[in-house]
Amino acid sequence: MSLYLITGGAGFVGSYLVRFLLERDQSVRVLDNFSTGKRENLEEVLSSIELVEGDLNDAEAVAAAVDGVEFVFHEAAIPSVPRSVENPVESHEANATGSLALLEGAKAAGVRRLVYASSSSVYGANPDLPKVESMRTEPMSPYAVAKLTAEHYCGVYHRLYGLETVALRYFNVFGPRQDPNSPYSGVVSQFIDSILSDTAPTIHGDGEQTRDFTFVDNVARANYAACHESAAGGGVYNIGCQTRISINELWRHMKEISGSGLSPTYTEGRAGDVPHSLADISAARRDLKFDPKIGVREGLEQTMEYYTPAKT
Ligand code: UD1
């Protein structure tokens, strides 16, 4: 049994990873400042984990969190493109400086491997599809700059200080417990919220922009493999499904699954929005044995089921 630290463990991806590890009989510690994460995401697992409440930029909290830890899943972030456009400094402090502070702590504590949640947004304005890790990065938002900065810090800590790191570039993750209650929430959680509250969803632009939507269980499996596959050390990997759908198609799927009769309202395109996104996952298939078993439709069905369990 190994001790894993999950930063941002009260958030959407973090709280999924907590359960994923507990199901595999691992010891779990969470570091969270509850800025975007929620206590209720950990409610029924609280007695099975250690919780350190604190910020990545608080060296004492980080030292307490990494003590005795073998593996770190670094999910803590302020995860929003539009929020970063409004407040770049806040995004940088949480996503870049916070990650650097964690790397410092992990290095000092002798952590074996740190897996970092990076983002497909680093490809930004580069028009080539699919996205390959060796491609030039062209961030279009402060969020993407901060995510890329921390990725570089991970690389440097790997090369310079011998702290093993792996960066996973997540492509539009969705699933249970993704917070729908903020104007910055991911589109799937926004659409679910619309369905549940029976209010028209908003589509920014013409809805023909595309994304490689990735169900959170695929992401959890990639993280686990990133800890344990020796070939992954020092690597950067796209984590997606290698399929893309438009926002209009996404809405059509969700409408079908839920039986909703709503129609979307179209508004202006969003600043900093990337037109198209699609992952090439050959590297993850090779080094992480990554196989995204749950496709977008099945993932959407499971997510809807979580919010509206079938009545028996
Ligand atoms: C981006 C990143 C992703 C990152 C995430 C963090 C890219 C390609 N992806 O996702 O890696 O983890 O930010 O937040 O840069 N939309 C609507 N209606 C809504 C909400 C969104 O039409 O109610 C549209 C957006 O304009 C966008 C698409 O849906 O075109 C997806 O938006 P969102 O879910 O916020 O994610 P990204 O910004 O693509």
Side-chain angles (χ1 to χ4, degrees), residues 78-82 118-124 141 143-144 147 169-173 178 183-191 194 201-205 207 209-213 247 250 265 267-270 272-278:
I78 297 185
S80 167
V81 169
S118 186
S119 163
S120 59
S121 61
V122 302
Y123 296 109
S141 64
Y143 172 77
K147 279 280 160 185
R169 292 179 175 169
Y170 297 170
F171 281 67
N172 291 75
V173 189
Q178 188 170 25
Y184 307 118
S185 301
V187 63
V188 173
S189 67
Q190 297 267 21
F191 283 180
S194 299
T202 302
I203 293 185
H204 301 292
Q209 66 270 40
T210 55
R211 295 290 185 273
D212 189 339
F213 289 101
I247 304 306
L250 173 72
T265 307
T267 60
E268 258 181 47
R270 230 172 45 179
D273 224 14
V274 167
H276 299 290
S277 179
L278 172 68

